[in-house]
Amino acid sequence: MVVYSFYIFDRHAECIYKKKWTPRPSSTSSKPNQYDGLPEAVPQPKALSAEDDAKLIFGTIFSLRNMVRKLGGPDDNFETYRTGHYKLHYYETPTSLKFVMVTDTKTNNLRIVLHQIYVSLYVEYVVKNPLSPIEHPGGVGVDCEMFELGVEQFVVCSFQVVECSTPLTDRYPECVPDDLMGLAQRH
């Protein structure tokens, strides 16, 4: 399983936390050239800024959530949707915080995982922190090092995501089984 990104939105539609691990794959479609019938590469759109990406993600979940509630009734919930390139997982708390994780298409529903991140990490390190603001006006995000480290460690250990060129055994030795740790130290 590959985790591409993780977002938290507050009740005012502000992105208060975002983290990207692996970039989402871009489509590599081609269309035949009208002159000689050979495929011609379609120009790829330029990459979005992190802020624009977060706005598009929120707009998508807002629209889909409202559509599901109108078509299915107030008791139906939007949990995931899948495209040909990624799958978006959604969890909304009773206080209208929205947790969103974007993964590869083969991943099962991660609603329970997002709930665990909320209960075990967000509540423990952000809500119970007296130095953390209750509201995040103007896009001021979550600024809690323990929360960020907890999310990083949880995602890397749970899904074996590697963010950079530093070996996993050096960054999180507690995630690697003992027999692999010995093998990694010999090399």
Side-chain angles (χ1 to χ4, degrees), residues 26-61:
S26 60
S27 63
T28 55
S29 63
S30 60
K31 62 179 180 179
N33 187 334
Q34 58 182 329
Y35 299 112
D36 57 11
L38 297 174
E40 182 179 302
V42 176
Q44 295 295 322
K46 67 177 190 168
L48 296 173
S49 70
E51 185 177 317
D52 290 340
D53 199 25
K55 287 179 184 178
L56 286 173
I57 294 283
F58 183 81
T60 302
I61 62 171

Side-chain angles (χ1 to χ4, degrees), residues 101-121:
M101 189 173 282
V102 180
T103 65
D104 66 340
T105 57
K106 296 177 180 128
T107 306
N108 292 330
N109 189 342
L110 296 181
R111 183 178 171 88
I112 295 171
V113 171
L114 293 173
H115 176 74
Q116 253 339 94
I117 292 172
Y118 169 65
V119 170
S120 302
L121 299 172

Side-chain angles (χ1 to χ4, degrees), residues 39-137:
E40 182 179 302
V42 176
Q44 295 295 322
K46 67 177 190 168
L48 296 173
S49 70
E51 185 177 317
D52 290 340
D53 199 25
K55 287 179 184 178
L56 286 173
I57 294 283
F58 183 81
T60 302
I61 62 171
F62 181 80
S63 299
L64 287 172
R65 185 192 61 170
N66 287 341
M67 182 183 72
V68 166
R69 286 186 179 162
K70 286 185 181 184
L71 293 176
D75 294 336
D76 284 344
N77 291 320
F78 159 64
E79 294 180 4
T80 65
Y81 87 89
R82 186 176 69 122
T83 69
H85 297 286
Y86 65 91
K87 187 172 185 180
L88 185 139
H89 307 269
Y90 175 73
Y91 173 72
E92 185 171 354
T93 69
T95 57
S96 296
L97 284 172
K98 296 150 188 71
F99 288 72
V100 179
M101 189 173 282
V102 180
T103 65
D104 66 340
T105 57
K106 296 177 180 128
T107 306
N108 292 330
N109 189 342
L110 296 181
R111 183 178 171 88
I112 295 171
V113 171
L114 293 173
H115 176 74
Q116 253 339 94
I117 292 172
Y118 169 65
V119 170
S120 302
L121 299 172
Y122 189 82
V123 170
E124 289 298 318
Y125 295 126
V126 179
V127 174
K128 292 182 180 180
N129 183 353
L131 300 176
S132 181
I134 296 171
E135 295 288 328
H136 301 275

Side-chain angles (χ1 to χ4, degrees), residues 9-39:
F9 298 96
D10 68 3
R11 61 188 174 142
H12 304 293
E14 295 284 341
C15 182
I16 59 173
Y17 183 78
K18 58 184 162 265
K19 174 75 176 161
K20 290 189 176 191
W21 284 277
T22 308
R24 284 192 302 264
S26 60
S27 63
T28 55
S29 63
S30 60
K31 62 179 180 179
N33 187 334
Q34 58 182 329
Y35 299 112
D36 57 11
L38 297 174

